[in-house]
Amino acid sequence: MPSCAIQNCKNNLRNAKNKKISFFTFPKKTEMIERWKLVCKENVNPKTTRVCSEHFHHLQFEDQSWLKD
């Protein structure tokens, strides 16, 4: 079950359904992976780890259609 890798975040697939939260995979670029890892829990695997949408500003999304009902 996907859960958010950000420190102190308790969001997971089960409790996020009613909140309309999405989970995103890590970026492909090594530089960005390292930046993301700085705010994540210890020992995350960038290939399987997810970060929930609550940690992004809505302007960071190119396609914001997922925000609409």
Side-chain angles (χ1 to χ4, degrees):
M1 170 183 352
S3 61
C4 186
I6 300 294
Q7 292 178 16
N8 302 317
C9 183
K10 306 238 186 279
N11 288 330
N12 60 45
L13 191 60
R14 186 176 299 155
N15 69 15
K17 279 185 180 180
N18 295 331
K19 297 181 191 177
K20 296 187 181 177
I21 293 174
S22 299
F23 291 88
F24 299 97
T25 59
F26 267 56
K28 303 285 187 233
K29 292 184 179 180
T30 305
E31 176 186 324
M32 289 303 291
I33 290 171
E34 294 306 315
R35 289 171 132 186
W36 280 37
K37 285 171 78 174
L38 291 175
V39 295
C40 289
K41 300 170 186 170
E42 291 183 34
N43 302 322
V44 295
N45 179 349
K47 293 181 181 179
T48 59
T49 302
R50 304 287 186 265
V51 174
C52 78
S53 55
E54 288 195 342
H55 303 288
F56 297 91
H57 189 277
H58 73 278
L59 296 176
Q60 291 177 299
F61 299 100
E62 289 180 35
D63 177 13
Q64 295 182 14
S65 62
W66 67 274
L67 292 171
K68 300 175 186 171
D69 257 355

